[in-house]
Amino acid sequence: MPQSNAPRKVYDVCIIGSGAGGGTAAKVLTEGGLDVVMLEAGPRLNPAKDFKEHVWPYELTHRGADVGARGRLQMNNEFMAPNGFWQIEGEPYTTAPGTSFRWFRSRIEGGRTNHWGRIALRFGEADFRARSRDGMGDDWPITYEEISPYYDKVESFIGVFGSKENVPNSPDGVFMPPPKPRCTETIIKKACDHLNITCIPSRLAILTKPLNGRPACHYCAQCGRGCMTASNFSSSQVMIPPAEKTGRFTMIANAMARELAVGKDGKVEAATYIDKTTRLEHRVYARAFVVAASACESARLLLNSKSALFPDGLANSSGAVGRNLTDTVGSSLAGHFPQMEHVPRHNHDGVGGMHMYMPWWRFGKMNEFLRGYHIEFGGGPGMPSVGGFDGVNAEFEGYGVGLKQKSRSMYGTFIGFSGRGEMIPNEKTYCELDPHVVDKWGVPVLRFHWEWGENERKMARDMQEVFTSIIETAGGVVHGGATARSRPAAAPGAAPEVESGPISMGGEIIHEAGTIRMGSDPKRSVVNKHSQAHEVKNLFVADAAPFVTNPDKNPTLTIMALSWRASDYLIELSKRGEI
């Protein structure tokens, strides 16, 4: 490709990726006095232009369903906060024969934080010591006590609602008051109490009180569309702005990172990127580099960064880059609750997600599987979603007034349950460079290998049994068997979506982790306890790639806590002149 010859500037730090980890690093490093440049593979974000928070279906070309109705019952319909894709034209990925994997990517400032579920759960003490407890996997080289102060920093800055409950291995945090339960949640809470299943207020990164100039949530329940008031968390609206205010932050948008170049001293000296608007190749120079492009994208970047010093990929003498790939174990089921047909119509919106959830309630007890899971649930008569009445149309024959009346009577009567459990890493699940396929920029793409273990399948079966028990105890009827699912993080009222079976496809829960593992032994891991590469002292990783375990808790809060911790350490090294 053509090379540009711009004058060389050397920044203190180059960050690759603007999501949860990259945004956090940008805020902490710039406020710590460092000059930071960030490469973002997509455009800058303008909430007023890009978000569709209060848009009605008739205002969109395809009423939200996208071309050919491909957005029906899909997370990435036309309403969703922009630039999240299961498939990106010209940027493919492949899967090994006989395996299946889905990879959700975002190409815009803030990345996937623009449309995540905002579930903000701390990992527990046992999650960092999993192998010591059951002999499987590995322990982290850090403890809960070491990361707890950084959970405090993140929660205090971004705002997380919740309640102090003292649930084993589900640590309490710095919480704002939680919203009150909706009628669907009171129904499920009573059933859980009867079954001795812990059911408590959710822990979501959504403001219920003003914080740092951001107003409290106005309960429109449209978080997945983006929040113009920044009442829910996204890196683009909460982390990037304070970095920009320092005057020490530069973002280069539409910059597709291709490789990291190593100097003679073994340190990274530059990041090579492709300007997607001109197709020109550029280099940006820095004293330190923070890779935060998402677990799989970061692994791809390191694998593509080959040199005489690192013929198998940057910092990859251990061979661990791309290995230990995990996703969250997912299984879902929906119930129909006839009693909801008689509930008077009312504003049921609340926050755009759960007001209550079930943390793992059998911690410390013998189960048929190792580790555990939590349960997310939602439903009721909220704003209809794209394809929300498809299930009624498929189940009941008719047309005209009769079908409309049936749709109205069924609307809001479903509650969906989704389990989110821990996957134990296995040798058959990993990502690598495809030797034959490149993207439209000429960069080799990832090829995924995936296999659930028997432990995960046992966990998913247990989820189905528990969902059924809750539904029936609450007076509902299981709807559609193990193929029915819903996304409780979306607006309540949505009809169940459909998946292929009682366990999710690899990657489908969008919690990829572990591909650039943290550890004390350089022969078995890539980064140390500070998220710093063992072999390349000015290289840090600040997404979920360093995770040693991928517990049932959603990863984003821990990504930010580890990024904040790594950034503090980087600032310390800089002050000592070691970077």
Side-chain angles (χ1 to χ4, degrees), residues 335-558:
H336 173 236
F337 293 81
Q339 63 266 46
M340 290 295 295
E341 295 183 20
H342 309 294
V343 174
R345 292 289 183 245
H346 63 286
N347 187 331
H348 192 268
D349 292 340
V351 305
M354 314 172 296
H355 285 197
M356 302 193 79
Y357 89 116
M358 295 82 129
W360 181 230
W361 66 100
R362 301 202 306 250
F363 176 77
K365 299 179 180 179
M366 289 295 295
N367 301 289
E368 293 184 0
F369 51 87
L370 301 176
R371 316 293 168 87
Y373 61 88
H374 73 258
I375 301 175
E376 306 168 9
F377 69 100
M383 177 68 75
S385 60
V386 175
F389 295 98
D390 285 4
V392 177
N393 292 335
E395 189 171 350
F396 299 98
E397 293 185 9
Y399 59 91
V401 174
L403 182 59
K404 289 181 179 179
Q405 290 175 339
K406 190 64 179 178
S407 295
R408 290 192 180 100
S409 69
M410 297 291 285
Y411 180 60
T413 63
F414 294 96
I415 301 175
F417 299 82
S418 292
R420 297 290 181 256
E422 179 169 356
M423 176 186 179
I424 299 174
N426 67 72
E427 294 182 353
K428 296 181 179 179
T429 299
Y430 59 96
C431 59
E432 62 182 352
L433 295 182
D434 190 303
H436 308 295
V437 182
V438 298
D439 64 16
K440 62 182 176 181
W441 319 112
V443 182
V445 307
L446 285 182
R447 177 169 61 189
F448 291 95
H449 299 251
W450 189 265
E451 184 173 310
W452 289 116
E454 183 57 28
N455 193 72
E456 289 80 45
R457 297 187 183 279
K458 287 180 179 179
M459 183 183 292
R461 289 194 290 268
D462 189 84
M463 292 176 185
Q464 291 291 315
E465 293 173 3
V466 171
F467 299 155
T468 299
S469 180
I470 294 173
I471 291 169
E472 293 177 349
T473 301
V477 178
V478 171
H479 183 82
T483 59
R485 74 182 269 203
S486 65
R487 292 188 181 273
E497 300 178 24
V498 174
E499 69 178 7
S500 59
I503 191 168
S504 54
M505 184 184 297
E508 189 176 32
I509 308 303
I510 318 179
H511 290 170
E512 317 93 69
T515 53
I516 306 175
R517 173 175 280 206
M518 178 185 291
S520 300
D521 183 358
K523 294 181 180 179
R524 301 183 62 249
S525 60
V526 185
V527 299
N528 64 21
K529 64 186 293 184
H530 299 292
S531 305
Q532 177 189 34
H534 292 300
E535 301 176 283
V536 186
K537 298 305 180 183
N538 69 337
L539 174 65
F540 295 78
V541 182
D543 47 33
F547 283 22
V548 181
T549 58
N550 194 357
D552 71 280
K553 292 86 173 177
N554 304 49
T556 309
L557 189 72
T558 301

Side-chain angles (χ1 to χ4, degrees), residues 158-475:
I158 70 172
V160 175
F161 71 69
S163 57
K164 304 282 188 178
E165 301 287 347
N166 197 31
V167 177
N169 206 45
S170 295
D172 297 325
V174 180
F175 292 138
M176 289 186 166
K180 294 180 179 179
R182 294 168 282 212
C183 61
T184 48
E185 284 141 352
T186 60
I187 290 172
I188 300 307
K189 167 66 172 169
K190 290 178 181 177
C192 288
D193 288 347
H194 181 77
L195 295 168
N196 294 317
I197 296 174
T198 304
C199 185
I200 63 174
S202 298
R203 297 164 177 185
L204 269 62
I206 300 174
L207 303 185
T208 54
K209 294 167 57 178
L211 179 67
N212 298 328
R214 299 162 54 207
C217 175
H218 52 275
Y219 291 171
C220 74
Q222 302 302 312
C223 295
R225 300 182 177 190
C227 183
M228 295 181 190
T229 62
S231 302
N232 63 26
F233 173 83
S234 66
S235 175
S236 53
Q237 294 171 288
V238 181
M239 295 304 195
I240 302 298
E244 290 182 312
K245 287 180 181 179
T246 67
R248 292 184 286 271
F249 177 78
T250 301
M251 180 181 289
I252 303 177
N254 295 303
M256 189 69 187
R258 183 172 67 81
E259 70 172 318
L260 299 176
V262 179
K264 294 180 180 179
D265 59 359
K267 293 181 179 180
V268 182
E269 64 176 14
T272 301
Y273 70 91
I274 299 156
D275 184 330
K276 294 166 72 172
T277 59
T278 65
R279 299 186 69 88
L280 289 175
E281 188 176 278
H282 302 262
R283 275 193 169 189
V284 61
Y285 294 83
R287 296 180 180 87
F289 291 78
V290 177
V291 178
S294 81
C296 296
E297 198 73 72
S298 292
R300 179 191 179 203
L301 178 61
L302 296 194
L303 290 171
N304 274 311
S305 300
K306 298 180 180 181
S307 64
L309 285 174
F310 299 104
D312 297 320
L314 183 62
N316 191 33
S317 296
S318 65
V321 175
R323 311 298 299 194
N324 302 299
L325 172 63
T326 58
D327 187 28
T328 292
V329 180
S331 186
S332 298
L333 190 66
H336 173 236
F337 293 81
Q339 63 266 46
M340 290 295 295
E341 295 183 20
H342 309 294
V343 174
R345 292 289 183 245
H346 63 286
N347 187 331
H348 192 268
D349 292 340
V351 305
M354 314 172 296
H355 285 197
M356 302 193 79
Y357 89 116
M358 295 82 129
W360 181 230
W361 66 100
R362 301 202 306 250
F363 176 77
K365 299 179 180 179
M366 289 295 295
N367 301 289
E368 293 184 0
F369 51 87
L370 301 176
R371 316 293 168 87
Y373 61 88
H374 73 258
I375 301 175
E376 306 168 9
F377 69 100
M383 177 68 75
S385 60
V386 175
F389 295 98
D390 285 4
V392 177
N393 292 335
E395 189 171 350
F396 299 98
E397 293 185 9
Y399 59 91
V401 174
L403 182 59
K404 289 181 179 179
Q405 290 175 339
K406 190 64 179 178
S407 295
R408 290 192 180 100
S409 69
M410 297 291 285
Y411 180 60
T413 63
F414 294 96
I415 301 175
F417 299 82
S418 292
R420 297 290 181 256
E422 179 169 356
M423 176 186 179
I424 299 174
N426 67 72
E427 294 182 353
K428 296 181 179 179
T429 299
Y430 59 96
C431 59
E432 62 182 352
L433 295 182
D434 190 303
H436 308 295
V437 182
V438 298
D439 64 16
K440 62 182 176 181
W441 319 112
V443 182
V445 307
L446 285 182
R447 177 169 61 189
F448 291 95
H449 299 251
W450 189 265
E451 184 173 310
W452 289 116
E454 183 57 28
N455 193 72
E456 289 80 45
R457 297 187 183 279
K458 287 180 179 179
M459 183 183 292
R461 289 194 290 268
D462 189 84
M463 292 176 185
Q464 291 291 315
E465 293 173 3
V466 171
F467 299 155
T468 299
S469 180
I470 294 173
I471 291 169
E472 293 177 349
T473 301

